[in-house]
Structure formats: C-alpha cells, structure tokens
Amino acid sequence: MVIESKKSEFVVVANRLPVDRVTDEDGEATWRRSPGGLVTAIVPVMQRREGAWVGWVGSPDEELEPFEAEGMSLVPVSLSSRDVELYYEGFSNATLWPLYHDVIARPIYRRSLWEAYERVNQRFARAAAEAAAEGAVVWVQDYQLQLVPKMLRELRPDLRIGFFLHIPFPPMELFQQLPWRREILEGLLGADLVGFQSRDGASNFVRLSRRFCDLKTQGHEVMLDDRTVQADHFPISVDVNELVTLAGDESVQQRAVQIREELGNPASMLLGVDRLDYTKGIQQRLQAFTELFEDRRVKSGDAVFVQVATPSRERVEEYRILRDEIELQVGRANGMYAELGAPIINYLHTSYSRKELVALYLAADVMVVTPLRDGMNLVAKEYVASRADLRGALLLSEFAGAANELQRAYMINPYDIGGTKQRMYEAMHAGPVERARRMRSMRRRVLEHDVDLWAKEFLDALESGRSKPE
C-alpha cells in the first residue's frame, strides 16, 4: 500500500529494505519480511515508534513511492544497474569488503567506484533527511553507507544520528591503504555514536580519527569543535525466542532425525552453514576434514560433513571462481574417500528456510564455523541457542567476533590446517559430559545477550549520549 510522505521520529537507513518481493499463485506481487537478525531486532522498535526504514528494494532501475508492508513504513531508494555495478558490487564489495576483512582478497581502488559510492550515499542521506521528523533518531547501518552520517548531519543538524558497522573495522596498517581514508572517517564522525562488533574495532576507529583527522581523543571519545563522538562496541546477537521455539517444534525435531537417516546415520555429522564468500574459510575446513580420511583417523561411515553454501554475489568473478574451486575440492574428496551412495561431504549450494536450518543444527554433532575474518558470525550463536539438549559441539575460529563471547567453543586458527584437524577430531569424539559443560556456558551467554538487548543497548547509548554499561 502506497502511503503519503510523513515524518518519523525513528528512521533506519540500510542498504536494503527489510522486505522481499514474493509472487503468489495468481501472479500478484506482495511483500514479505526478510529473514535475518537485523530485521528481527529493529522491526519491533520501528513499530513501537512508528518508524520508517530507508533502503534499496533489491532490484535495479525501479522507482517506487513510499509504501507500507508488514506493519512498517518503507522509503525506497532507487539504484540503477550502473549504481549496483559501481557502488554495491564495486566500492562496497570489491574495495571495502576485502580491505575490512584483512585483505584476504586484493581490494580494488578505482576512482569511478568511489565516485559512485559518494553519489549513492548522498541519495540515501537525502531520503533519510526527508523521512525524519524534527529531532528524530536516525540509525544508519553498515559499510555500504559510511558517508551518510556526515551528509545527513549537513542536511539536518537537528537529528540524533547513530551508525553501526556489522563487519570488522581494520587496524591502521590496513586502513591507511585506502585513498579515501579521511573521507570515510569524516563520514562516520557525522554520527553521535559509532558502534562496532568488538572493542578492537572501536579502538581502531578512535586511533585512526586521531591519526588521519588530527582530532583529540580520550578513551572511546573523539572530540570535534562543536560536539563529541562516542565509539563503542555492541556485539550483535540472535533472536533467541525464535530459535528456541523452532528447536522445540516436534516437526523440526523429526526432520533432524530424518536428516541423519538420509546421511546413513553416521557416528558424527559435521555442519557448515555460510554465505559463499572467501572470508568464511570453507576451503580450509573441508581440507582439514578430508585429511582426517587421508590420515586414516576417520573412515567412510564414521563421519559426514554437510556444507551449506548460500549463493552470494554471483555476478562477481571472484565468487564464481571460489564456487568452482570448492565444487572441485568436494568432488576430489568424495572421489577418493567415499563409498558407493555415501559421500563424505554433502555440498549444498542453495538457501534454506529457518525451520530447515534449525533441523540441520539439531542433527549436527559438530558445528564448524571457521571464518578467516568475521565481524561476528551469527550462525555460531544460532547453533548454541538451538541446542537446549546440550549435546552439540562448536568448532569456532578465533578470528570470528563470536569468539570473544563463546569462549567454551573448540577454538581454532583456520590457517592452521593441522591444528584445525586435531580440534575437529577432539570435538567429534568429546563425551556427553564435556559437550554439556561447554554448551551450557555458551548458551547462558547467548540467552542473556540476545538481539533485543543489542538494539536496546545501542539506542539507549545513542539517545542518552553516554557509554553503554559494561
């Protein structure tokens, strides 16, 4: 339903709107709320405050008027095919994404990409300025929109502006590569509160602001001429109630049993669930698992690895190459070590519903989360929240943000294949008492610090102008 333009006291600005277009049996298009923790966390706040969400609808070259869906006021920002190529696939995901993830892939520094990033960020800032009421709170999300806080403040100095970065924020020795490093920092400094997943991210931002913007800092504060910017860490979490409810659903539990039966009821089922991305460490974990067979510590029937790789950025050459390499790796492992009708690795390049994902979590003896760098990694927390039975084991990279909280996981360095292989073997053969001890500690943390608390702590700090309580 199209709505008349109205001003909102609370505005969220994100690259994407929180809805997906779906077509019913009659061919009529409707809108359905998108899955994911960010949407789950913020939508209730929006509904309480009659807020508006500014974002791209997800398809290029489409002009839409503001509309309502799923009880939310939505303000579409249009992107042309060229914008998607240069701003989204280009500067956001070929420049910033690899730079912020430890330069695992080489970032592309090209002026045409930067100019598109500036242009699109200005478009988002103008849309937010139009949507916001006098003195409204505006919460800008993630790396695609780092220039928006400054641009928005120039348009609307009356606003209270927050920014949250969902991915890592790099240290000086990496960030200083960026030709537009000062512009990015100044963009973020337009906010009153800049939030990060980790203390390291907040510290890096303060240090870089001092070095490249010549600003005074004290603790986690950056002092400008007319105001002070707070930088702090707010580790994001998951919708615990949804996961606990799904895990307790009898049909989901039955599906978990069925999954194991379809795999031949192996002694150990290992599971990876990732977006297909070079930062996720998929190749390293599959190599470690395959070497257990090569070393004859594991044989066919003892263990099966299920790797779900959700399609991602398939128009980008680097991602197409990654997919080909993983599929070749899986085929080689199965060709060498599988028995007829019993592959050792089941590779699934597709997306699954929340119910099917939770069924997979319940079926898995060992959840394998081994990113080379990750801001948080919510899959690790989803698995822990789902395992009220305390019977699963979590293998976790020390380079995931979640490692700061889930310290009872089986920690690994994903670059160390030998070490990963050993910890994988230990997790597979851990007894029920050991697994329960580890899982109980991790579940306590996740249940107490859910996604609702994350949103509340950030907005409380933004509106009060004070640091969040430790």
Side-chain angles (χ1 to χ4, degrees):
M1 181 178 68
V2 176
I3 59 172
E4 292 184 13
S5 179
K6 63 178 181 179
K7 306 293 186 182
S8 299
E9 300 289 341
F10 178 63
V11 178
V12 173
V13 191
N15 179 64
R16 285 290 302 272
L17 288 174
V19 291
D20 298 317
R21 186 188 279 108
V22 292
T23 305
D24 60 23
E25 294 175 355
D26 299 326
E28 186 174 337
T30 56
W31 299 95
R32 182 176 61 199
R33 186 187 297 186
S34 305
L38 177 65
V39 175
T40 301
I42 296 177
V43 165
V45 182
M46 285 185 60
Q47 290 170 337
R48 284 196 299 271
R49 301 185 182 210
E50 296 185 352
W53 190 305
V54 176
W56 175 43
V57 76
S59 54
D61 302 308
E62 186 172 15
E63 297 272 356
L64 291 176
E65 293 298 318
F67 64 99
E68 282 192 356
E70 295 279 342
M72 295 178 282
S73 298
L74 305 176
V75 181
V77 174
S78 64
L79 296 183
S80 68
S81 298
R82 188 74 170 150
D83 291 332
V84 174
E85 178 188 350
L86 299 179
Y87 145 78
Y88 180 70
E89 294 172 352
F91 197 80
S92 294
N93 290 314
T95 303
L96 293 175
W97 180 267
L99 177 65
Y100 284 28
H101 287 88
D102 289 2
V103 196
I104 294 166
R106 184 186 295 275
I108 296 170
Y109 301 124
R110 194 178 298 155
R111 277 178 292 180
S112 60
L113 306 185
W114 165 252
E115 288 163 1
Y117 187 79
E118 280 189 301
R119 183 174 64 250
V120 172
N121 270 244
Q122 188 70 59
R123 198 176 306 156
F124 275 86
R126 285 197 297 267
E130 283 291 315
E134 183 74 21
V137 170
V138 180
W139 192 2
V140 185
Q141 306 288 332
D142 223 4
Y143 65 105
Q144 302 96 340
L145 302 175
Q146 291 176 100
L147 304 181
V148 168
K150 180 185 178 184
M151 293 171 170
L152 183 57
R153 185 166 295 281
E154 289 171 349
L155 293 168
R156 293 286 307 275
D158 59 294
L159 300 176
R160 190 81 183 159
I161 302 170
F163 179 91
F164 186 79
L165 184 69
H166 293 261
I167 67 174
F169 194 74
M172 185 176 299
E173 54 269 25
L174 295 181
F175 189 81
Q176 66 184 354
Q177 292 183 19
L178 186 65
W180 307 279
R181 59 200 185 191
R182 184 175 180 123
E183 290 89 334
I184 292 287
L185 291 168
E186 288 176 345
L188 294 172
L189 288 165
D192 297 289
L193 172 64
V194 186
F196 301 88
Q197 298 278 25
S198 68
R199 285 188 177 89
D200 286 347
S203 298
N204 289 342
F205 172 71
V206 171
R207 195 173 300 118
L208 286 160
S209 298
R210 183 169 62 242
R211 170 70 176 79
F212 294 116
C213 300
D214 301 318
L215 294 170
K216 291 182 179 179
T217 64
Q218 182 175 352
H220 45 69
E221 296 180 340
V222 182
M223 273 70 84
L224 306 183
D225 290 341
D226 57 342
R227 59 194 181 85
T228 298
V229 178
Q230 300 278 342
D232 214 334
H233 69 291
F234 301 84
I236 196 170
S237 194
V238 295
D239 183 353
V240 169
N241 289 335
E242 178 209 24
L243 292 160
V244 169
T245 300
L246 283 172
D249 186 309
E250 188 175 344
S251 66
V252 175
Q253 294 173 356
Q254 289 173 349
R255 175 59 185 147
V257 172
Q258 185 183 16
I259 288 169
R260 292 190 68 95
E261 289 173 350
E262 290 171 359
L263 295 169
N265 281 317
S268 292
M269 174 187 158
L270 293 83
L271 174 65
V273 176
D274 306 87
R275 193 170 50 78
L276 185 63
D277 192 283
Y278 52 77
T279 65
K280 299 300 183 182
I282 297 172
Q283 291 164 294
Q284 287 82 356
R285 78 179 62 146
L286 295 182
Q287 182 183 342
F289 180 71
T290 303
E291 286 189 12
L292 289 173
F293 288 82
E294 185 180 317
D295 298 344
R296 299 186 179 179
R297 299 177 74 183
V298 176
K299 64 181 186 299
S300 181
D302 288 347
V304 172
F305 202 118
V306 176
Q307 176 61 57
V308 176
T310 305
S312 172
R313 300 170 191 164
E314 299 202 292
R315 293 181 10 165
V316 179
E317 179 68 14
E318 200 142 33
Y319 287 78
R320 289 199 295 266
I321 292 170
L322 176 65
R323 178 181 176 181
D324 290 344
E325 289 177 348
I326 291 173
E327 290 176 354
L328 183 64
Q329 182 182 14
V330 170
R332 186 181 294 121
N334 284 329
M336 293 180 68
Y337 302 111
E339 294 181 354
L340 187 63
I344 65 167
I345 301 173
N346 288 261
Y347 174 71
L348 306 163
H349 183 61
T350 187
S351 301
Y352 285 102
S353 68
R354 299 293 288 164
K355 286 186 74 170
E356 185 73 359
L357 279 177
V358 174
L360 283 164
Y361 293 154
L362 294 180
D365 300 292
V366 182
M367 186 78 221
V368 184
V369 181
T370 58
L372 307 177
R373 170 62 70 191
D374 217 335
M376 178 52 63
N377 196 293
L378 294 179
V379 166
K381 292 187 174 184
E382 287 180 355
Y383 180 72
V384 169
S386 301
R387 295 308 299 251
D389 60 3
L390 307 180
R391 291 162 79 177
L394 174 63
L395 190 77
L396 181 61
S397 165
E398 60 195 43
F399 303 126
N404 294 324
E405 298 175 83
L406 306 181
Q407 297 180 0
R408 301 304 297 169
Y410 289 85
M411 293 291 182
I412 60 102
N413 171 358
Y415 293 98
D416 177 6
I417 303 299
T420 300
K421 180 170 57 176
Q422 178 58 32
R423 294 295 270 170
M424 190 178 283
Y425 187 85
E426 290 172 13
M428 288 164 57
H429 293 88
V433 174
E434 173 69 5
R435 287 189 177 185
R437 183 175 63 84
R438 289 173 176 268
M439 187 60 73
R440 187 177 292 109
S441 171
M442 293 188 291
R443 287 195 89 245
R444 187 181 305 117
R445 171 70 191 186
V446 173
L447 268 58
E448 289 174 357
H449 295 80
D450 67 357
V451 73
D452 292 330
L453 183 62
W454 168 78
K456 181 180 185 302
E457 286 190 342
F458 185 94
L459 291 171
D460 284 351
L462 174 60
E463 294 176 313
S464 69
R466 296 189 298 272
S467 301
K468 73 181 180 78
E470 288 296 328

